[in-house]
Amino acid sequence: MGAAGARGVVLWVVGLAAGYGEGPAVRDATFSLAAGEVVGILGPNGAGKTSVFDCLSGTLRPRSGNIMLLGNDITKLPTHKRAALGLMRSYQNVRLYPSLTVRDAIAVALETRLKVKGSIAAGLWLPAARAEETRVVERVDVLLELLQLTKSADALVGSLSLGSRRLVDLACQLAARPKVLLLDEPTTGMAQSETESLGPLISRISKDLDCAVLIVEHNIQVLSSVADRLIAMNFGRVIADGLPSEVLNDPAVRAA
């Protein structure tokens, strides 16, 4: 791990195997992810892409292998402890409070990162609580601008299109300042214009926040335009890992 860490690797997956019931969904998968890098995972339905995400986020226990995050073995850690270490995930099913405004939804996501908590400090409006409140407002404004949600800041989440709700969900993930961000089919339900703007947005997130991004996405155009590297999977195995042009032209990938 020392050599890998020297190269800026933040996520290292070695010999990962997992499944549901008797059937294997992931077979001996090995790959890494560096800080500020965008990596896409592609493959046909049933290739094991979402199962890899489930293992990384802690919702599926691996049968074997190891997952290292920033030098920490997180293979057996629960989901919330992985999040505390800097690993965040979006889901295909967007889960947000529909009765909150966009601004409030992002502020709620920031709650877990506050240094000063508690109803007493807030109720008495102590200096530390006031300072935290100011930081939350400033951080929310930054995220609204980054995700191009400023015009929708005071709209109810439930009134937004699915594509816009996905952007709000992404803002909530970024509120936690992740070191590794897992995006599961982020373009699902997005309009063409939203899809076209997603690539540059992800590139900006990875570079500005020095955040490693791992994307599962069926839209090959989006993946090839934003990814520094592609990982191709089939039948639970990694069959190619390299530059987008190399992977997309790999005979085994084209056959899959």
Side-chain angles (χ1 to χ4, degrees):
M1 184 64 189
R7 295 196 302 270
V9 172
V10 292
L11 182 70
W12 199 5
V13 179
V14 181
L16 187 67
Y20 307 91
E22 296 297 324
V26 183
R27 308 166 187 248
D28 195 28
T30 297
F31 60 88
S32 63
L33 194 60
E37 184 180 31
V38 180
V39 176
I41 302 182
L42 73 159
N45 290 333
K49 308 182 297 295
T50 297
S51 297
V52 166
F53 266 31
D54 289 343
C55 290
L56 296 180
S57 60
T59 58
L60 176 62
R61 178 65 66 89
R63 292 173 177 170
S64 61
N66 292 95
I67 305 170
M68 304 292 293
L69 175 66
L70 299 169
N72 302 290
D73 189 342
I74 65 169
T75 312
K76 296 181 180 180
L77 286 185
T79 300
H80 70 280
K81 290 189 176 181
R82 300 179 193 217
L85 288 172
L87 187 146
M88 301 299 294
R89 175 187 179 175
S90 72
Y91 287 83
Q92 292 183 36
N93 258 340
V94 179
R95 301 169 184 178
L96 297 167
Y97 294 108
S99 58
L100 291 180
T101 66
V102 171
R103 183 184 299 278
D104 288 343
I106 300 172
V108 168
L110 277 165
E111 174 70 22
T112 58
R113 299 292 162 168
L114 295 182
K115 295 179 181 178
V116 179
K117 299 181 181 181
S119 56
I120 295 177
L124 295 177
W125 198 230
L126 298 178
R130 292 201 301 270
E132 284 285 64
E133 181 69 20
T134 299
R135 280 192 286 269
V136 167
V137 171
E138 291 173 349
R139 181 65 177 161
V140 169
D141 285 341
V142 168
L143 290 170
L144 287 170
E145 182 178 357
L146 177 64
L147 277 298
Q148 300 177 3
L149 290 166
T150 303
K151 293 182 179 179
S152 304
D154 298 315
L156 296 180
V157 170
S159 70
L160 302 177
S161 67
L162 176 57
S164 295
R165 292 202 305 274
R166 287 195 174 280
L167 293 176
V168 176
D169 181 57
L170 180 54
C172 291
Q173 308 304 321
L174 296 177
R177 299 182 183 273
K179 298 298 183 182
V180 175
L181 179 62
L182 311 179
L183 299 179
D184 194 356
E185 300 286 356
T187 66
T188 301
M190 282 191 171
Q192 182 65 30
S193 59
E194 292 171 326
T195 298
E196 291 172 354
S197 64
L198 185 65
L201 174 61
I202 291 173
S203 296
R204 183 179 173 188
I205 288 169
S206 65
K207 299 302 183 291
D208 290 359
L209 304 182
D210 198 30
C211 173
V213 182
L214 189 63
I215 312 174
V216 167
E217 177 58 60
H218 279 102
N219 190 319
I220 302 301
Q221 283 186 324
V222 171
L223 274 187
S224 58
S225 68
V226 72
D228 301 304
R229 210 171 85 241
L230 289 179
I231 296 171
M233 295 187 67
N234 198 23
F235 296 115
R237 298 184 184 278
V238 173
I239 59 174
D241 183 345
L243 295 174
S245 57
E246 296 171 348
V247 171
L248 292 175
N249 288 307
D250 186 297
V253 175
R254 297 177 71 89

